[in-house]
């Protein structure tokens, strides 16, 4: 193999590898959270849903998101209330974006390589959950879950994915502090 061919193959292989890594990133669920240091989360026992603005889904999806969060927080001993004297105010924002996913394949034999890639459009949903201390009017906890979604697929399957994402998002709530 000549140096020119080797360089072309290396470049093609690098592009294919990067595309595969990017595609894998989009398929996986990404969950992140952050919280205000030195916050005593043990004092938060009740919460109230509040509208924090931003993008909102339809009424049905809104109820499903809140039900999923309510279930996770109840399992941690928290109680939902409509009282303005709640220990925490909780709100969320959601968005669905269209992204291009690149699928690549390649083969190599006898020093020669071939490869190809195709693109498709996927939907990526993001849910941001925020918790505020109404006394200090400060954000004390925030979390974000991002996952590819298929709005046209089975509704029950999507609900299970939502519950799984919310469980993963709130897995470490309340946060352990040193």
């Amino acid at each position: 193999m000549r140096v020119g061919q080797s360089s072309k193959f290396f470049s093609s292989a690098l592009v294919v590898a990067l595309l595969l890594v990017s595609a894998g990133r989009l398929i996986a669920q990404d969950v992140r959270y952050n919280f205000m240091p030195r916050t005593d989360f043990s004092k938060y026992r009740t919460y109230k849903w509040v509208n924090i603005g931003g993008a909102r889904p339809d009424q049905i999806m809104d109820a499903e998101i809140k039900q999923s969060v309510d279930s996770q927080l109840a399992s941690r001993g928290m109680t939902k209330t409509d009282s303005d004297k709640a220990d925490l105010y909780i709100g969320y924002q959601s968005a669905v974006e269209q992204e291009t996913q690149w699928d690549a394949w390649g083969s190599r034999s006898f020093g020669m390589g071939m490869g190809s890639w195709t693109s498709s459009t996927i939907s990526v949903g993001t849910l941001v959950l925020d918790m505020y201390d109404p006394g200090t009017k400060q954000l004390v906890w925030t979390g974000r879950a991002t996952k590819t979604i298929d709005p046209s697929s089975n509704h029950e399957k999507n609900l299970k994915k939502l519950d799984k994402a919310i469980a993963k998002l709130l897995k470490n709530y309340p946060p352990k502090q040193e």
Side-chain angles (χ1 to χ4, degrees), residues 1-2 5-6 9 107-114:
M1 184 184 314
R2 289 194 266 154
Q5 288 177 328
S6 177
F9 174 76
S107 66
R108 182 176 176 192
S109 62
F110 304 110
M112 302 294 288
M114 292 180 49

Side-chain angles (χ1 to χ4, degrees), residues 102-126:
W102 293 94
D103 299 309
W105 62 269
S107 66
R108 182 176 176 192
S109 62
F110 304 110
M112 302 294 288
M114 292 180 49
S116 178
W117 50 78
T118 59
S119 68
S120 59
T121 301
I122 59 171
S123 297
V124 178
T126 300

Side-chain angles (χ1 to χ4, degrees), residues 23 25-30 94-102 119-127 145-153 158 161:
R25 181 189 63 79
L26 292 176
I27 293 170
Q29 184 179 60
D30 183 32
S94 64
V96 176
E97 296 179 352
Q98 304 298 312
E99 293 188 8
T100 301
Q101 175 177 311
W102 293 94
S119 68
S120 59
T121 301
I122 59 171
S123 297
V124 178
T126 300
L127 177 77
T146 303
K147 175 134 179 64
T148 56
I149 57 174
D150 182 3
S152 65
S153 72
N158 284 339
K161 287 180 182 179

Side-chain angles (χ1 to χ4, degrees), residues 25-173:
R25 181 189 63 79
L26 292 176
I27 293 170
Q29 184 179 60
D30 183 32
V31 173
R32 298 167 193 241
Y33 71 95
N34 199 0
F35 59 93
M36 186 66 72
R38 296 177 297 287
T39 300
D40 180 11
F41 285 90
S42 67
K43 69 180 182 179
Y44 302 128
R45 300 194 186 279
T46 61
Y47 67 95
K48 176 183 178 178
W49 282 102
V50 295
N51 185 357
I52 58 174
R56 310 280 303 178
D58 61 49
Q59 289 177 323
I60 295 170
M61 192 67 199
D62 177 64
E64 291 168 344
I65 290 168
K66 288 178 178 176
Q67 161 56 38
S68 186
V69 172
D70 289 344
S71 175
Q72 286 298 315
L73 292 178
S75 73
R76 287 159 177 75
M78 295 189 71
T79 304
K80 181 174 79 169
T81 182
D82 291 326
S83 170
D84 288 335
K85 296 186 191 286
D87 301 327
L88 274 178
Y89 286 172
I90 298 179
Y92 77 92
Q93 296 180 37
S94 64
V96 176
E97 296 179 352
Q98 304 298 312
E99 293 188 8
T100 301
Q101 175 177 311
W102 293 94
D103 299 309
W105 62 269
S107 66
R108 182 176 176 192
S109 62
F110 304 110
M112 302 294 288
M114 292 180 49
S116 178
W117 50 78
T118 59
S119 68
S120 59
T121 301
I122 59 171
S123 297
V124 178
T126 300
L127 177 77
V128 177
L129 184 66
D130 291 331
M131 299 182 185
Y132 298 88
D133 184 313
T136 63
K137 296 181 175 39
Q138 295 291 313
L139 179 68
V140 293
W141 188 94
T142 186
R144 169 187 299 257
T146 303
K147 175 134 179 64
T148 56
I149 57 174
D150 182 3
S152 65
S153 72
N154 180 297
H155 183 71
E156 290 299 317
K157 190 175 181 180
N158 284 339
L159 278 179
K160 286 181 182 178
K161 287 180 182 179
L162 172 65
D163 288 339
K164 186 176 178 180
I166 297 296
K168 190 173 179 181
L169 180 63
L170 292 170
K171 177 182 176 186
N172 295 312
Y173 184 86

